[in-house]
Amino acid sequence: MNSINRRSVLLAGLGVAGAGALAACSASGSGSGSAPALVEPSGSAVAAAEKKRTSTGKVHSLTLTAAPATLDLGGGVTAKSWAFSGRTPGKELRVSAGDTVAAELSNQLPNKTTTSIHWHGIALRNDMDGVPPVTRTAVRAGANFTYRFIADAPGTYFFHPHVGVQLDRGLYAPLIVEDPREPLAYDDEWVIVLDDWVDGVTGTPDEVFAEVKQGMNGMHTGGSGSSSGSSGGHDMGGMDGMDGMDGMDMGGGSSPSASGDGMPMKFMLMGAESDLLGGDAGDVKYPYHLINGRVPADPDVYEGKPGKRIRLRIINAGGDTAYRVALGGHKLTITHTDGFPVDHQRVDALLVGMGERYDVLVTLADGVFPLVALAEGKNATGMALVRTGSGRAPKATVRPKELNGMIMTASQLRAADDVRLPSKKADRVHRIELTGGMAKYNWAINGRAYDMRNPTAAPITVEEGQRVRLDFVNSTQMWHPMHLHGHTYQLGQAGPRKDTAIVLPKKKLSVVFDADNPGQWMLHCHNAYHGEAGMMALVAYRA
């Protein structure tokens, strides 16, 4: 992959954001002794918080049917997957701030498969968050359930399941909450959904997880004790199963040829390296990277007129891939991240981790231009086209120079004045250590893999009204996009307001939020496979 241009805004600050700027009254940890009493997802505190939300009284009713579908990805590529109403991304849901969403989920998935819908980034009432078994039970096959909540914060969001690794199938769609007092001036919008695609092409996400969770220790070592392929330049011979290698850099080298049972390693990716991401870029080999459900050979096309100003709402719905996004021949002006406004920044490209969203403004030039999403560290791209005039479409493999220009990440952004949290001493601090590694694929938080069978064990507790600081300490050799449900946090004292942020390997990132949405909320890595392996925890309000 091309090296990063010296003009780039590099990521030295991404993993550190004002860790020492806020004092704290209490130490981290879940405490000891008897388990604390917690606010119930449908309890009176949740109902009281819902009554405080500003409502327009308008209700958007819709049905989302989750069912098997044969999807046309363009260019003659079809995939057998699961999707909402037979398409991916699903149909965009667009409401105005303060409107009520009444979305009936009809589960028509096969083999008695349960599912749910998580409304990613929305600070909604806890019992509608769609996280079984925490907030309510999963929706059984053949059953229906209606999610009903007020969407009171404008912004770019999306929705997806929160069961197993269903995130990496086709069950997702954009959710746009419009601002009735929109301050930005622009002529049109284009919603951009990025995704890394494997389902129904080379395998299923469940097959991917079954393979990668073997970890590097699951590699077939043969009679001599030597691995069948190199890993990050490390000699694996004579290491007796690599028991001591949790956290060792597993990037680089060739793909292992076989798993512990001698079967070929079909899905595990080796050698994905990115300076922007601090080293190892990802675990999974994807045959395609999509923009709006299309392969680069047959891309989605936006048709407009030169001189028009458009708003791109960029959503990374992927399972294991960060994307470096640029529009050939254009500068991008970043206006929002994760739904919240920032001081505007004019850049060539931006880095978008799984679960993150960015809004940008761009003034269109005359011609045909590639919108490229470079799969960071994976030497592959997704592409869409902007057509405002005559000209031939670029090749599907095009990589515009903007990809190596000024690259913006969240660490360089600053929250807009009207959404910046007031400076305040933290009432509660929690150390959130990200642990594990590729050796055993034992991803966890504070050394404890989350147990869905005992979801309220060892909660990270907060109390309503507190200012809370989370100190993410990444002790692993890989980056993690950390997502908090039901809230937005601020990076450091004046950084952007976000619900998902990249924490680089061996770095610390401190974020603060106000505990103003009672209930039980997931905090987890938005890499679908890291989360399913156990890199999740429960942030719960004390009753």
Side-chain angles (χ1 to χ4, degrees), residues 111-134:
N111 304 320
K112 298 183 179 180
T113 301
T114 62
T115 192
S116 75
I117 297 178
H118 166 56
W119 308 90
H120 183 108
I122 297 285
L124 75 176
R125 56 177 299 144
N126 190 218
D127 53 1
M128 295 292 133
D129 194 40
V131 182
V134 176

Side-chain angles (χ1 to χ4, degrees), residues 1 120 158 167-168 172 192-199 208 267-269 272-274 276-277 279-291 314-325 350-358 372-383 399 441 478-482 500-502 525-531:
M1 195 180 74
H120 183 108
F158 72 119
L167 168 67
D168 218 12
Y172 58 83
I192 302 294
V193 184
L194 313 174
D195 193 20
D196 42 17
W197 194 272
V198 65
D199 194 31
V208 172
F267 305 109
M268 185 178 287
L269 179 67
E273 293 272 353
S274 165
L276 282 174
L277 295 174
D280 191 351
D283 300 338
V284 180
K285 289 186 288 189
Y286 288 95
Y288 298 108
H289 295 274
L290 310 180
I291 295 183
I314 302 168
I315 301 166
N316 186 350
D320 179 73
T321 307
Y323 289 99
R324 194 190 310 187
V325 180
L350 65 158
L351 182 71
V352 190
M354 296 85 77
E356 288 189 293
R357 293 92 59 212
Y358 282 86
V372 174
L374 174 68
E376 188 64 34
K378 295 186 177 184
N379 196 28
T381 54
M383 187 185 76
R399 296 195 181 180
Y441 216 77
M478 192 168 181
W479 68 287
H480 303 284
M482 297 304 297
T500 310
I502 292 173
C525 178
H526 220 268
N527 181 309
Y529 302 97
H530 293 183

Side-chain angles (χ1 to χ4, degrees), residues 22 61 92 112 150 193 217 241 249 254-255 307 430 478 489 534 540:
L22 295 172
S61 298
E92 172 189 301
K112 298 183 179 180
I150 297 170
V193 184
N217 284 353
D249 181 6
S254 60
S255 297
H430 287 289
M478 192 168 181
Y489 47 64

Side-chain angles (χ1 to χ4, degrees), residues 218-401:
M219 287 172 55
H220 180 64
T221 57
S224 66
S226 297
S227 75
S228 55
S230 65
S231 295
H234 299 288
D235 180 8
M236 300 299 174
M239 292 194 68
D240 296 327
M242 301 176 283
D243 286 340
M245 293 191 59
D246 284 348
M248 181 173 281
D249 181 6
M250 292 297 178
S254 60
S255 297
S257 63
S259 64
D261 59 6
M263 295 296 290
M265 296 295 280
K266 188 176 180 180
F267 305 109
M268 185 178 287
L269 179 67
M270 302 296 294
E273 293 272 353
S274 165
D275 289 341
L276 282 174
L277 295 174
D280 191 351
D283 300 338
V284 180
K285 289 186 288 189
Y286 288 95
Y288 298 108
H289 295 274
L290 310 180
I291 295 183
N292 292 344
R294 309 292 292 181
V295 298
D298 189 4
D300 188 34
V301 179
Y302 175 85
E303 295 187 357
K305 294 181 179 180
K308 294 294 185 181
R309 199 180 200 200
I310 64 169
R311 179 180 189 165
L312 306 182
R313 296 180 182 264
I314 302 168
I315 301 166
N316 186 350
D320 179 73
T321 307
Y323 289 99
R324 194 190 310 187
V325 180
L327 178 60
H330 293 76
K331 293 278 191 178
L332 307 175
T333 299
I334 301 174
T335 63
H336 296 71
T337 180
D338 291 2
F340 280 72
V342 297
D343 289 346
H344 292 189
Q345 294 280 355
R346 196 163 184 256
V347 302
D348 293 303
L350 65 158
L351 182 71
V352 190
M354 296 85 77
E356 288 189 293
R357 293 92 59 212
Y358 282 86
D359 291 23
V360 303
L361 293 177
V362 60
T363 300
L364 298 180
D366 189 3
V368 183
F369 306 96
L371 179 76
V372 174
L374 174 68
E376 188 64 34
K378 295 186 177 184
N379 196 28
T381 54
M383 187 185 76
L385 291 180
V386 172
R387 182 180 289 277
T388 63
S390 60
R392 297 181 61 181
K395 292 182 179 179
T397 54
V398 66
R399 296 195 181 180
K401 62 181 177 60

